[in-house]
Amino acid sequence: MEFRSLEGDEAFAFSLPRRSRAPGTSAFVRAKDEESKIEHCLRSILPSFDEIHVIDNGSRDATAEIVRHVRETCPEGAKIRLHAYPFAVERFGPEHAETPADSLHSLVYFTNWALSRCTRRHVCKWDADMVLARERSEAFAGLLSGLGRGWPAAWSLAGQTVYRAPDGTFGEPRGEVNREVRIFPLSYDVRFHWREHWEELIRPRWLRTHHFAPVCFHELKFLDEAEFDHWSTTDFPSPRKRREWASFERLREERPRGSDRRLPATFLDDQVGEAGEPAGPGASPRDAGRPAATRPRWRGLSGAMPHFVGIGAARAGTSWVATHLAAHPDVRMGRKEIHFFDRKLRAPASSASARDRLDQLRYLARFVRARGGGRIRGEITPAYAVLGPEVIRRVAEWMPDAKLIFMMRDPIERAWSQARNGFPRWRGHRVEDVGRDELTAYLDSDPVRRRSDYANCLRAWMAHFPRDQFFFGFLEEVRERPGDLLRELFGFLEVDFARPDPASLATAVNASAPVTMPDWVRDHLERTYAFDTDELSELVGRSVPWAT
């Protein structure tokens, strides 16, 4: 696929191949004025990748000189290629929104040009402020070595934000973990396209996405540097950036929280192997030499909160998901649908008040007798999909780093399933015996319509949680590729995958009675449930199965 800029500069025209046959993985690193971080970044990933392309975007500091120094002095420095992209690139936010995607000054064109420098079969988008966690380097190397086997896939990586104070000490706020798809096959149908405030990776529907379970890198932010200069606004549209900005301002004003974890001043050197080995198997270099009594601990009730919450949608495969999660040895679940936040929580109390703490204790009591002894706690209550904004805000305050599971299916099929299940259970007669007017009124009722409007549900939750904390699954995938869906879900939750037997994968759980949908019902639902699949696909990050 050929790319030519709006400005017509043939020197920066490029193409993306249909596929690359050279084995291995390339990394590309976009860099501008990163002299304080680029060496740590490169030294941490040199052993991992087969080639590293650094694209210097007109740095005014010593970034390029440092890259050359690392290339010349490190044993594996020959892997590094340094490229110059001399055009001013518009910043994230309004500047980007006003720039055509095919302009040399667009983030989209710049990133695709950087991608075109790569030559290996797989590519990793690595940022100049990211440092590979040393304790994860072996597992990460194992991931890269296995990329060429089996069906092609993309992989998301998780990173913890780490802040450095002017005095040289480091700290990481609890729960500030961000996940993004960063590894993918090199081909023209996997590339970056324009989105209102930034560039976004697009990939074909057949390309599955897996999640590398552990937090594998640290994203560096230095409190004495202008870390948000690459944005043209501080009214950030992204919940992730709003959270980072709040932490940055809070720590710059020296207002740490009890849950912030302090790290040693040697933290960065530890990550690139210049300051000793980890204290023991599985130990992090950041704790090396620190007395056990002084190592930071989580405080308050937040550390006891569930690791995941299934928030919906009803009649979309949540019972099947709950059954397989409850059977996993690393998962500890209460009964499905404890309905705490939609039925048992009184009007939300003020944050950190005595009543708020009591409500948290009441919630945690639901997990005392939960099944299993696993380290990952969670619950699934599909009614949470339609919680009000004040209650969702309370969920976010109690467990800001919770992973959220949202299952979906064709909204018309979902509404019909709810009718088939609801009439016998709650009204005592079969849906076939219901009159036309009564059934129409039921299907048009607010509880049914709201549960099928997935985009509206997600917008309410995404106002308080970043998208990388969501797992999106579809009942259609449960039916077509249940094993792959479970593998992706377990990776998202960071637990080992043990494939269940085929019979259990194919067994429906809590299925509605099989009743054919009348043609008039389908016609009515198609007219009244015409939800925008394009908007939902954008929120989810991929095409939904029922999109036409």
Side-chain angles (χ1 to χ4, degrees), residues 244-260:
E244 290 178 354
W245 173 257
S247 294
F248 187 82
E249 291 294 294
R250 174 174 60 81
L251 293 171
R252 192 159 61 173
E253 295 171 6
E254 298 182 353
R255 293 185 289 112
R257 291 175 178 165
S259 59
D260 290 346

Side-chain angles (χ1 to χ4, degrees), residues 174-177 243 302 306-307 396 398-403 465 469:
R174 179 179 181 273
E176 203 164 295
V177 175
R243 182 171 59 173
S302 56
H307 298 81
W398 286 8
M399 35 186 163
D401 54 340
K403 297 176 184 293
F465 289 89
Q469 286 179 221

Side-chain angles (χ1 to χ4, degrees), residues 130-417:
M130 289 164 43
V131 173
L132 180 65
R134 191 179 180 200
E135 65 269 26
R136 303 300 186 193
S137 59
E138 289 187 12
F140 189 66
L143 166 67
L144 298 182
S145 66
L147 286 179
R149 305 170 194 158
W151 189 260
W155 285 82
S156 72
L157 306 179
Q160 164 76 52
T161 310
V162 172
Y163 296 84
R164 188 192 70 179
D167 64 1
T169 59
F170 293 85
E172 56 181 27
R174 179 179 181 273
E176 203 164 295
V177 175
N178 303 305
R179 182 174 286 277
E180 179 181 338
V181 174
R182 291 187 174 275
I183 300 177
F184 46 90
L186 178 60
S187 67
Y188 65 77
D189 51 357
V190 186
R191 62 187 185 278
F192 294 85
H193 77 145
W194 187 91
R195 195 175 174 190
E196 184 179 3
H197 298 287
W198 47 72
E199 86 291 7
E200 183 176 60
L201 185 71
I202 60 169
R203 51 199 188 275
R205 183 177 165 188
W206 56 262
L207 185 66
R208 299 169 181 169
T209 300
H210 301 313
H211 305 282
F212 184 57
V215 172
C216 72
F217 66 85
H218 307 286
E219 185 175 348
L220 305 176
K221 296 204 178 300
F222 293 173
L223 299 179
D224 52 355
E225 295 185 5
E227 291 287 1
F228 295 88
D229 263 8
H230 58 293
W231 280 84
S232 57
T233 180
T234 54
D235 185 18
F236 301 109
S238 160
R240 166 184 169 181
K241 283 299 165 188
R242 291 198 296 270
R243 182 171 59 173
E244 290 178 354
W245 173 257
S247 294
F248 187 82
E249 291 294 294
R250 174 174 60 81
L251 293 171
R252 192 159 61 173
E253 295 171 6
E254 298 182 353
R255 293 185 289 112
R257 291 175 178 165
S259 59
D260 290 346
R261 186 178 187 182
R262 290 184 62 83
L263 306 173
T266 59
F267 167 74
L268 270 183
D269 290 333
D270 293 344
Q271 297 308 306
V272 295
E274 296 177 1
E277 297 295 324
S284 167
R286 67 191 69 171
D287 285 333
R290 182 185 295 172
T294 66
R295 292 177 186 173
R297 300 176 182 271
W298 301 128
R299 302 178 183 178
L301 297 174
S302 56
M305 286 291 170
H307 298 81
F308 69 87
V309 179
I311 62 173
R315 315 306 306 167
T318 55
S319 295
W320 184 89
V321 168
T323 297
H324 288 282
L325 285 179
H328 196 287
D330 288 343
V331 175
R332 180 181 179 89
M333 281 185 62
R335 64 179 178 86
K336 183 173 179 281
E337 302 193 37
I338 65 176
H339 287 287
F340 182 83
F341 291 104
D342 62 320
R343 297 180 186 174
K344 300 179 176 67
L345 180 66
R346 298 164 292 180
S350 57
S351 299
S353 65
R355 192 166 71 104
D356 182 60
R357 182 179 177 85
L358 179 60
D359 284 338
Q360 293 184 53
L361 291 170
R362 290 174 54 233
Y363 181 53
L364 291 174
R366 267 66 184 176
F367 298 90
V368 171
R369 297 181 181 179
R371 297 186 300 274
R375 57 186 178 85
I376 303 296
R377 296 180 302 280
E379 62 136 324
I380 294 179
T381 303
Y384 291 169
V386 293
L387 289 178
E390 283 301 309
V391 182
I392 297 175
R393 178 183 60 81
R394 179 50 43 90
V395 176
E397 289 178 354
W398 286 8
M399 35 186 163
D401 54 340
K403 297 176 184 293
L404 305 176
I405 302 170
F406 194 73
M407 297 293 297
M408 291 166 275
R409 68 187 291 188
D410 183 325
I412 291 175
E413 297 291 342
R414 195 217 67 79
W416 178 239
S417 177

